[in-house]
Amino acid sequence: QMQSKNGLFRYLIYRKRYPKSRLFAFDTDFTSYVSSNIPVLPTGGYFAALFAIQLCHKVNMYGFHWQPGHAIAHHYFNSEVPVEGKEKIHDYDAEHANLLHIARAGMLNLSQPCVPGCEAKTQIRCETCPPGSTCGCGANMPTPLSIPGFCHLKHNYTCYYRCPRQSQCPGGPSSSRCPNSLLNYFADKPCASAEDVPQRWSKPGSLKSHPRWMKDVYDLK
């Protein structure tokens, strides 16, 4: 995308230097359309998402979480991190809110688990959460949390294990990872299956049976 005179000049210089390159510029009308609902410079990913919606029958998006941490890089293609104190040129909150709105309308699928947030707050069901996990509520939880009795290994959010005893693995925001005492135990164990998940954890139940953090997930009052 080109949103400045400098960007246009750089593009023209590049095309002159590499005339056979398949680098194309967005139509200026499309650029204006994308920029019209974001108060500052839209990210390249936001441009790509709206462009894909115009062309494709089905759009699946992975990543696109705007909060730092949780083993999620700022860029997927390098190790660059935002410079502290640098003037804000992107509004990640506004882009995320717009993408959630588009997802709720069924125009795209946020495929990576928990990027939308918990179902109670977004009305977007997590179709890709591995058995033994669920999405926590709050902007700082972009990866699935272990439900009570299950855990995951460090930086692995695709496989959750059923613990020998539920008391060993409380689950939730602070106890999702497998305790060190069980690492050898899980060395030859398969990932949990849907059949391993007790019904009381897979569906909303009585208030007494759910930890406090899960009541927020299921919007239980």
Side-chain angles (χ1 to χ4, degrees):
Q1 72 275 18
M2 293 181 297
Q3 301 192 66
S4 68
K5 184 181 296 185
N6 182 53
L8 175 60
F9 287 156
R10 292 175 63 183
Y11 173 73
L12 294 176
I13 292 172
Y14 183 89
R15 288 306 303 265
K16 184 176 181 179
R17 185 177 299 173
Y18 305 102
K20 295 183 179 180
S21 171
R22 294 180 59 82
L23 177 66
F24 303 101
F26 283 127
D27 185 276
T28 52
D29 287 341
F30 179 73
T31 299
S32 298
Y33 161 70
V34 175
S35 302
S36 65
N37 52 51
I38 297 294
V40 292
L41 179 69
T43 63
Y46 189 70
F47 264 94
L50 296 192
F51 186 64
I53 291 171
Q54 310 295 320
L55 297 180
C56 306
H57 175 69
K58 183 177 182 180
V59 179
N60 296 317
M61 286 177 51
Y62 294 84
F64 281 82
H65 193 274
W66 77 111
Q67 296 287 349
H70 298 272
I72 299 176
H74 182 64
H75 289 152
Y76 73 88
F77 51 85
N78 64 23
S79 58
E80 179 184 348
V81 296
V83 178
E84 186 176 355
K86 187 176 181 180
E87 182 181 357
K88 184 177 180 180
I89 62 171
H90 300 307
D91 191 334
Y92 298 110
D93 292 322
E95 291 189 7
H96 188 70
N98 287 350
L99 292 174
L100 286 182
H101 180 74
I102 296 172
R104 280 193 290 267
M107 299 174 66
L108 64 83
N109 179 33
L110 296 170
S111 301
Q112 185 170 320
C114 301
V115 166
C118 67
E119 183 178 356
K121 299 295 188 291
T122 65
Q123 289 76 56
I124 301 175
R125 183 177 178 81
C126 181
E127 302 288 353
T128 54
C129 283
S133 70
T134 190
C135 295
C137 296
N140 294 321
M141 298 179 185
T143 48
L145 301 177
S146 300
I147 62 177
F150 294 79
C151 67
H152 66 84
L153 301 180
K154 185 178 181 180
H155 296 334
N156 186 340
Y157 302 100
T158 61
C159 177
Y160 289 71
Y161 297 98
R162 184 171 185 175
C163 301
R165 296 190 304 275
Q166 181 178 310
S167 59
Q168 295 172 298
C169 305
S174 60
S175 303
S176 277
R177 278 175 52 182
C178 297
N180 291 333
S181 59
L182 292 178
L183 296 183
N184 290 334
Y185 174 81
F186 292 124
D188 59 350
K189 294 293 188 294
C191 302
S193 65
E195 290 72 26
D196 293 324
V197 181
Q199 187 175 12
R200 68 179 182 276
W201 298 136
S202 60
K203 295 182 180 180
S206 68
L207 293 178
K208 293 182 179 180
S209 69
H210 285 72
R212 185 173 181 177
W213 67 270
M214 289 192 74
K215 294 175 186 178
D216 290 333
V217 171
Y218 291 130
D219 198 20
L220 298 175
K221 306 297 184 184

